[in-house]
Amino acid sequence: DAMVALPRKPNDAVELTADIVVSYNGTSWSPNCKRETRDLLPHFAQALTHQSMASLPAIFILMLLVRSCNSDDRLRPTKPLSPGDELISSNGLFALGFFSLQGSAANTYLGIWYHNISERTYVWVANRDSPIKSSLPGKLVVSNTSDLVLSDSDGRVLWATKTNNVTTTGSGSGGGATGAGAVLLDTGNFVLRSRNGTEIWQSYDEPTDTFLPGFKLWVNYKTHVAARIVAWKGPDDPSTGEFVLSGDTSTGLQILTWRGSSLYWRAGVWNGATAASFTKSFLSQMIDDGEVAYFTYNRADDSAPARSHWKLDHTGEVMFRVWVEGSSSSWVPLFERPGKWCLVYGACGPFGYCDVKGDVRECRCLDGFEPADGGGGSSKAGCVRKEAVRCGGNNYFLTLPAMKLPDKFVYLTNRSFEECAAGCDRNCSCTGYAYTNASDILLASKCFHWTGDLVDMVKADYTSDHLYLRLAGNGDNYARTNNKINGVHVVFKIVLPLIAFLLILTCIYIFCICKPRGIHQNNGALQVHLRPSQEVWDQSLEFSRITFEDIAAATNSFHETNMLGRGGFGKVYKVAYKMFTLRSKYKMQNCF
């Protein structure tokens, strides 16, 4: 033991499982070569500088600590991994060890998770279907056959790698081979290596529900074998679930999600691009060597979030998530499919497509088709042709841009666009075709033909393929219909604004012309235009002035016996003159 003044924060974790023990104020401290140990080493070194440099045992202990903590990402045959132990990747992003979940505390699993984040997130589980019972603690060792073996305290093997079973010389106290060892890489990949550094096995070859940067989701479409991502059974149950994601083993050109034996979601036909900027921070790639095709992704540069992954959730959702640090650090999904409604495989039925406009998704029929149920609202029923296509009859191909190409295609290579189109045209059972040509990849030119029903199509701003659909007729009816629709649109665009403008001008004119001028008074006199011998609506009159006193005298001071009635502007009186309604007449004369 060495007596050193070691400053510690009260909440620093301490585990008594290391080979080195430091006595501090009468308390034994044993760092387990974890991240907290590395954080404390600077404090330890600073404490030693205040001691006499003649304290060689303390310096020796510090050197052992540094040496030990430089190898905490490795599993060696001489020291098995036991409950409470962890391997930490050298960059501190990942940890490997034993864990239990809230919903199944009686079960223990060996897995990999993100280290030092507030939300424990697992990316790999070794014994997902064979948990360790809490009463039988387990351990992970490197065997003398260069395998990783997980067993419980009764010696029952719960999980093991399957290598070439090459026995290496020598054995340590742990019963394993001295030549082989395992390391947790900065990528989150747990790799088993032989003594000469050859990789014998890696966790990337046995993924669970998640894959990380650099992982290859591969498919061999010659042998019809593919890597599989299998969802958890539930949020707290890592056992094998019902959803599986893999490449299309028949063509290698699609990524599919299955729910049991039924297709649940389809990513769409690979159109030949080698790399797509999924975001500005990440690049995805699809590589095809003529036998094996694989999908992978990586960070575009060091500015991209360090923690990201693709995950197949237990609900069937395929998600791409990044960890965003901040006041409320959390996982942020940048991609989620299929979600609810019509992005689920075949949700719109034959010849129907999912029209995506922002957050709005609805099923529609392709041009030339109508709902099979007559508009009854059953999207699964799909659509039927308005006019049947007959062999030998007139037909043409309608271009449908920005479409996710339908499933169940025939993939043809070494075709030009003209050859692809002519081949479909000659075969009257060919429903449609599509063509892609990316010159920077192997097998760049791709021709697709469809026969029978077209299923699982999407139209959205993120889809870019052109589908050429066979319809009956020569295209004139469609062109006339389109022209008529376009003509109506033009009329509405021109006539409606013009009508609105004329209405506004009319209102302004009426307002200005018909603005009441009021009844002008001049020196207490009321000016009214009349002559006893002429009609009131004669506009060629010469007008005289009548005073208020004259009117009062003519109506006997507005006596009720002279009142003829009431109008909208007041009482009407008869006078000794040929009379009219003063206010009404004056108002009308000014408006017209």
Side-chain angles (χ1 to χ4, degrees):
D1 290 354
M3 302 298 294
V4 294
L6 179 62
R8 284 184 66 236
K9 294 179 290 184
N11 293 328
D12 287 336
V14 173
E15 295 190 24
L16 304 179
T17 57
D19 297 325
I20 302 170
V21 178
V22 179
S23 177
Y24 168 54
N25 288 344
T27 301
S28 294
W29 173 60
S30 299
N32 193 28
C33 287
K34 298 182 182 179
R35 182 60 46 189
E36 51 265 35
T37 304
R38 297 183 181 183
D39 294 340
L40 288 173
L41 280 178
H43 299 290
F44 187 29
Q46 183 179 8
L48 287 178
T49 60
H50 297 292
Q51 305 297 316
S52 171
M53 294 307 296
S55 181
L56 295 179
I59 298 176
F60 179 69
I61 288 174
L62 175 61
M63 294 174 63
L64 288 178
L65 282 173
V66 172
R67 177 179 177 83
S68 177
C69 289
N70 281 337
S71 61
D72 66 352
D73 58 350
R74 299 178 185 274
L75 178 68
R76 300 188 180 280
T78 56
K79 189 176 186 216
L81 189 74
S82 302
D85 296 340
E86 291 180 1
L87 302 183
I88 310 295
S89 62
S90 62
N91 61 2
L93 290 181
F94 297 96
L96 180 145
F98 294 91
F99 68 92
S100 295
L101 296 165
Q102 184 176 2
S104 55
N107 297 328
T108 301
Y109 302 91
L110 175 72
I112 300 173
W113 59 86
Y114 287 100
H115 186 54
N116 278 344
I117 64 173
S118 57
E119 181 182 342
R120 176 65 72 91
T121 305
Y122 301 96
V123 299
W124 181 74
V125 182
N127 57 321
R128 63 186 307 178
D129 292 315
S130 301
I132 304 169
K133 300 304 179 182
S134 58
S135 59
L136 301 171
K139 65 177 180 178
L140 178 68
V141 301
V142 180
S143 72
N144 57 5
T145 59
S146 299
D147 278 313
L148 291 171
V149 178
L150 175 67
S151 59
D152 60 20
S153 58
D154 283 347
R156 185 169 62 101
V157 176
L158 303 173
W159 173 85
T161 59
K162 298 177 181 179
T163 62
N164 293 328
N165 295 322
V166 177
T167 304
T168 57
T169 59
S171 63
S173 59
T178 58
V183 58
L184 180 60
L185 301 181
D186 291 347
T187 59
N189 189 15
F190 189 40
V191 177
L192 178 64
R193 292 173 177 165
S194 65
R195 185 174 184 178
N196 62 8
T198 302
E199 292 188 358
I200 303 173
W201 172 91
Q202 59 178 351
S203 60
Y204 272 20
D205 288 338
E206 297 181 10
T208 50
D209 69 331
T210 303
F211 64 88
L212 302 166
F215 173 86
K216 295 179 180 179
L217 185 65
W218 59 270
V219 54
N220 189 319
Y221 49 88
K222 295 295 179 68
T223 61
H224 308 294
V225 180
R228 289 159 42 97
I229 305 296
V230 184
W232 285 24
K233 194 171 185 178
D236 292 320
D237 184 357
S239 61
T240 300
E242 62 177 337
F243 292 98
V244 177
L245 182 144
S246 69
D248 182 1
T249 57
S250 61
T251 65
L253 297 178
Q254 303 182 104
I255 295 176
L256 310 171
T257 299
W258 296 83
R259 185 175 192 175
S261 59
S262 301
L263 268 176
Y264 184 70
W265 176 73
R266 186 178 63 97
V269 181
W270 173 39
N271 62 9
T274 55
S277 180
F278 178 66
T279 69
K280 292 183 178 180
S281 300
F282 298 93
L283 290 176
S284 61
Q285 292 180 292
M286 192 76 177
I287 308 299
D288 184 355
D289 65 5
E291 180 176 357
V292 176
Y294 66 86
F295 169 84
T296 187
Y297 86 99
N298 283 285
R299 299 167 66 198
D301 51 50
D302 292 339
S303 65
R307 297 176 177 88
S308 67
H309 60 252
W310 284 93
K311 177 183 176 69
L312 177 61
D313 191 64
H314 70 278
T315 61
E317 286 290 290
V318 179
M319 299 181 291
F320 180 74
R321 306 192 302 175
V322 298
W323 180 260
V324 177
E325 299 283 356
S327 57
S328 57
S329 299
S330 63
W331 289 108
V332 176
L334 302 183
F335 177 93
E336 290 183 280
R337 292 291 186 276
K340 296 181 179 180
W341 192 215
C342 63
L343 289 181
V344 174
Y345 183 88
C348 296
F351 298 106
Y353 68 93
C354 182
D355 190 15
V356 179
K357 295 179 180 178
D359 294 331
V360 178
R361 303 171 182 178
E362 58 181 337
C363 287
R364 295 182 180 274
C365 290
L366 295 173
D367 291 333
F369 290 77
E370 59 188 2
D373 63 350
S378 176
S379 59
K380 279 287 187 180
C383 306
V384 294
R385 291 182 181 274
K386 295 179 180 178
E387 183 179 354
V389 173
R390 295 179 176 83
C391 289
N394 290 333
N395 59 72
Y396 69 102
F397 288 91
L398 175 66
T399 303
L400 302 176
M403 297 292 293
K404 170 187 169 183
L405 298 181
D407 194 16
K408 302 178 180 178
F409 53 85
V410 177
Y411 172 37
L412 304 171
T413 59
N414 301 320
R415 301 284 198 282
S416 66
F417 175 80
E418 291 75 15
E419 291 171 334
C420 183
C424 186
D425 188 32
R426 288 193 301 268
N427 180 7
C428 65
S429 64
C430 181
T431 309
Y433 69 92
Y435 185 84
T436 62
N437 184 17
S439 59
D440 58 340
I441 63 168
L442 190 65
L443 301 177
S445 299
K446 291 179 169 60
C447 174
F448 305 97
H449 285 184
W450 285 267
T451 59
D453 295 342
L454 303 182
V455 295
D456 195 46
M457 292 170 286
V458 177
K459 184 177 181 62
D461 56 4
Y462 53 80
T463 54
S464 58
D465 291 308
H466 285 56
L467 175 65
Y468 300 90
L469 175 66
R470 184 191 293 268
L471 294 177
N474 54 17
D476 290 343
N477 291 336
Y478 178 81
R480 283 195 294 269
T481 302
N482 274 354
N483 290 336
K484 183 177 180 180
I485 293 174
N486 292 334
V488 172
H489 288 170
V490 171
V491 169
F492 274 102
K493 288 180 180 180
I494 296 176
V495 173
L496 287 182
L498 181 60
I499 292 175
F501 178 71
L502 293 176
L503 286 175
I504 292 172
L505 286 182
T506 302
C507 292
I508 294 174
Y509 175 79
I510 293 175
F511 177 78
C512 294
I513 300 301
C514 295
K515 183 179 179 181
R517 298 188 181 92
I519 300 177
H520 301 284
Q521 296 184 4
N522 186 13
N523 296 326
L526 178 65
Q527 298 182 11
V528 185
H529 312 302
L530 49 80
R531 179 169 291 183
S533 59
Q534 294 177 319
E535 295 294 333
V536 295
W537 295 113
D538 188 348
Q539 297 184 9
S540 63
L541 300 177
E542 294 182 1
F543 306 116
S544 60
R545 176 178 296 177
I546 301 177
T547 63
F548 179 78
E549 289 78 6
D550 294 334
I551 295 176
T555 59
N556 193 19
S557 297
F558 303 99
H559 196 274
E560 291 185 358
T561 57
N562 291 327
M563 187 174 67
L564 297 176
R566 293 178 179 272
F569 294 93
K571 299 177 180 179
V572 179
Y573 294 88
K574 66 178 180 179
V575 295
Y577 305 98
K578 189 175 183 179
M579 197 53 197
F580 58 95
T581 304
L582 294 175
R583 293 183 183 178
S584 297
K585 191 267 179 186
Y586 193 77
K587 181 73 175 180
M588 294 293 291
Q589 191 171 351
N590 278 276
C591 284
F592 295 94

